Amino acid sequence: MDKNNKNNIVIATFFLIYIFATMFFTIKNNYFDIKKIGRTVVYNPDKLNYNDRINYFKSNSESVFANNLVLKYDYLDTYGLFQKVLFKRVVTDAGEGRDVIKLSNGNLSFTYPDMDEMYWVNKLSIVDEYTKDKGIYMAFAIAPWSINEESKLPFYVEDKAGEVRTRFIDNSIKKDINIIDLEKELTTDPGTWFFRTDHHWNINTAFESYKIIASHLDKELDLNITDKYYNDFNRKTYRKIFLGSYGKRTGKYYTIPDDFEYIYPNFETNFDVFNSEWDVMTSHYVGDFRHSIAHEEYLTMKIDDTRETSTYYTYTNGGRALVKITNLDPINNKKILILKDSYGEPVFSFLSLVFKEVRAIDVRCWANVNLKEYIDDYKPDVVLFIHTPSSLYDQKLIDFKWE
């Protein structure tokens, strides 16, 4: 046996030992979860047939392995590094069967197929007609899409989310729904609107969007917003601390981690904040913006500490079913109800400065919310939807009850 063959056998043997050791310790560490899945298969009260039981065990066991694999993040980081060395702009099957695409400016993104946007338009039209009858102002603020002239796809990759966004706006306007098209009104460079490694817009873009939305609402409601609520803010940049949702799929070496800009008021504030799940309070904070709405503990985390969380949660501690914010030193007596995805988190944080009360609902987390009943009970002055174009693909965000 020649030397090369011996080397290959040694490498292959080492690799197999490494794989089996990883499997052994993963099973060992998750034995009770796997055992619980097995007991469910054997004693399932629904009396699933044999094939259903096998599929249940397979899918749930795979989920346990995927989420708790020993050295999971080392695998991801190494894989991403190889993709970078090979100049790959498409990282295939990077979690949940999705491909992560590197755009021309280095940002990462998903792509989306075509879809029928009219389900959203028709559901919004029902809310719009009702709020108009009640004398409540309603608007839909739609974020820009991450793929644009400054952030282009590889020529061999297709995306339809931008077209869906355009049709949604056009058809909503035809239904006389007030649309705030943030893509048209943002004055900053489109190439700087988004985080490099995350699907969210960055905090500066969220802040600029807050100013656009506040200006629109001030014209409609006379909110008494003065210059300080637009310009008197502190900014602090934390360098390369943020690995976003795309970066977590490709590993920390595939692209450069993001800076995170923390923006907060440079004037006295005072808030009472309730975070709730299914309208049951989970946390309560009283204090200024930095100690009630913001959660600065996320800014001190290292990248490896945020693999299962996100620096983006600095504003309102992440997605909640319901957030209630009362401004204890308000400039007016107006109340706003916001239906939002995670893009809305920093935006409604800033909007709390110019309203007496903000209530923000994520319908995905509060699926049985009866929006008509909630509007009747709360009696807001404004109902505002804040969404990104990719949220149009998630009907759970619009599937509230209306009775």
Side-chain angles (χ1 to χ4, degrees):
M1 184 179 296
D2 61 34
K3 186 176 180 180
N4 286 336
N5 284 338
K6 287 182 179 179
N7 289 339
N8 289 339
I9 290 172
V10 170
I11 292 170
T13 302
F14 176 80
F15 182 73
L16 287 172
I17 292 171
Y18 182 71
I19 292 296
F20 281 115
T22 300
M23 291 176 61
F24 172 78
F25 284 108
T26 299
I27 293 171
K28 181 176 180 293
N29 293 346
N30 299 280
Y31 170 75
F32 289 105
D33 288 333
I34 296 170
K35 183 179 179 180
K36 184 178 179 181
I37 294 168
R39 288 179 64 85
T40 302
V41 170
V42 174
Y43 302 110
N44 193 287
D46 295 329
K47 304 297 182 184
L48 299 175
N49 62 42
Y50 177 79
N51 287 334
D52 288 339
R53 291 173 186 238
I54 294 298
N55 289 333
Y56 177 89
F57 183 81
K58 180 181 177 182
S59 63
N60 284 274
S61 297
E62 286 178 352
S63 177
V64 169
F65 274 95
N67 292 326
N68 301 285
L69 181 68
V70 172
L71 301 177
K72 170 184 174 180
Y73 296 119
D74 297 282
Y75 281 122
L76 276 174
D77 292 340
T78 303
Y79 178 68
L81 179 60
F82 275 112
Q83 300 300 301
K84 182 177 181 177
V85 169
L86 295 172
F87 299 100
K88 291 289 187 70
R89 288 186 63 186
V90 179
V91 181
T92 57
D93 196 20
E96 303 173 7
R98 303 291 300 273
D99 298 342
V100 173
I101 317 298
K102 182 177 283 189
L103 305 178
S104 58
N105 65 347
N107 288 4
L108 305 182
S109 182
F110 281 156
T111 57
Y112 291 84
D114 204 357
M115 57 92 68
D116 185 1
E117 71 287 347
M118 290 307 297
Y119 181 82
W120 273 75
V121 174
N122 291 332
K123 198 75 179 280
L124 289 169
S125 183
I126 295 170
V127 183
D128 185 59
E129 290 177 9
Y130 187 75
T131 52
K132 282 175 178 172
D133 287 342
K134 294 284 186 178
I136 300 168
Y137 181 76
M138 191 195 102
F140 192 107
I142 185 163
W145 183 224
S146 59
I147 298 168
N148 53 54
E149 286 302 311
E150 302 298 325
S151 311
K152 295 181 180 179
L153 288 166
F155 71 90
Y156 48 85
V157 178
E158 185 178 63
D159 173 73
K160 293 293 184 179
E163 295 178 18
V164 170
R165 181 186 186 278
T166 300
R167 292 201 308 265
F168 169 79
I169 291 172
D170 291 344
N171 287 314
S172 296
I173 292 173
K174 289 177 183 177
K175 294 273 190 178
D176 202 28
I177 297 170
N178 296 310
I179 295 292
I180 303 174
D181 185 353
L182 295 167
E183 183 172 287
K184 286 186 176 179
E185 299 200 42
L186 285 165
T187 57
T188 51
D189 178 3
T192 66
W193 285 345
F194 295 88
F195 286 113
R196 183 185 299 107
T197 68
D198 195 56
H199 64 287
H200 293 109
W201 51 18
N202 58 42
I203 302 305
N204 183 64
T205 309
F207 180 68
E208 293 299 320
S209 297
Y210 144 72
K211 293 196 287 186
I212 292 167
I213 293 168
S215 179
H216 274 271
L217 299 180
D218 193 20
K219 291 175 183 176
E220 296 293 332
L221 298 160
D222 191 19
L223 297 176
N224 194 33
I225 302 176
T226 58
D227 182 70
K228 79 172 184 178
Y229 294 97
Y230 295 123
N231 298 312
D232 193 9
F233 287 79
N234 294 310
R235 294 170 179 260
K236 186 174 181 180
T237 300
Y238 294 80
R239 300 293 181 188
K240 296 181 175 54
I241 67 162
F242 182 35
L243 190 68
S245 58
Y246 299 136
K248 289 172 183 175
R249 288 174 165 86
T250 61
K252 63 184 179 182
Y253 302 127
Y254 181 68
T255 191
I256 303 169
D258 282 289
D259 296 340
F260 192 93
E261 187 174 28
Y262 177 39
I263 303 174
Y264 58 93
N266 186 35
F267 49 88
E268 290 187 7
T269 56
N270 194 14
F271 296 99
D272 193 323
V273 182
F274 289 89
N275 289 324
S276 307
E277 300 294 348
W278 298 85
D279 209 19
V280 177
M281 187 185 75
T282 56
S283 58
H284 179 212
Y285 306 94
V286 178
D288 64 13
F289 186 95
R290 295 179 62 187
H291 298 94
S292 59
I293 293 173
H295 291 260
E296 297 179 359
E297 62 269 22
Y298 290 102
L299 300 171
T300 62
M301 292 182 178
K302 296 179 180 178
I303 285 177
D304 288 339
D305 297 329
T306 62
R307 296 281 195 168
E308 301 298 333
T309 184
S310 176
T311 313
Y312 191 77
Y313 292 169
T314 298
Y315 292 88
T316 70
N317 201 25
R320 304 286 176 180
L322 173 65
V323 180
K324 302 178 182 179
I325 304 176
T326 302
N327 190 331
L328 300 177
D329 295 316
I331 59 173
N332 55 57
N333 64 351
K334 305 297 185 182
K335 302 189 297 184
I336 183 170
L337 175 62
I338 299 175
L339 287 297
K340 50 79 186 179
D341 56 27
S342 53
Y343 271 54
E345 304 286 340
V347 177
F348 79 72
S349 298
F350 296 125
L351 282 172
S352 67
L353 297 163
V354 296
F355 281 88
K356 181 179 180 180
E357 281 188 20
V358 172
R359 293 196 184 182
I361 295 174
D362 188 327
V363 178
R364 293 171 298 187
C365 304
W366 193 5
N368 66 343
V369 61
N370 186 328
L371 186 58
K372 181 180 179 182
E373 186 178 276
Y374 200 93
I375 290 171
D376 287 342
D377 290 343
Y378 183 49
K379 297 178 175 58
D381 299 284
V382 185
V383 174
L384 176 69
F385 291 81
I386 307 174
H387 289 290
T388 177
S390 61
S391 286
L392 300 174
Y393 292 79
D394 187 355
Q395 288 191 0
K396 291 180 181 178
L397 280 161
I398 199 76
D399 275 342
F400 45 77
K401 291 182 180 179
W402 189 263
E403 298 171 355

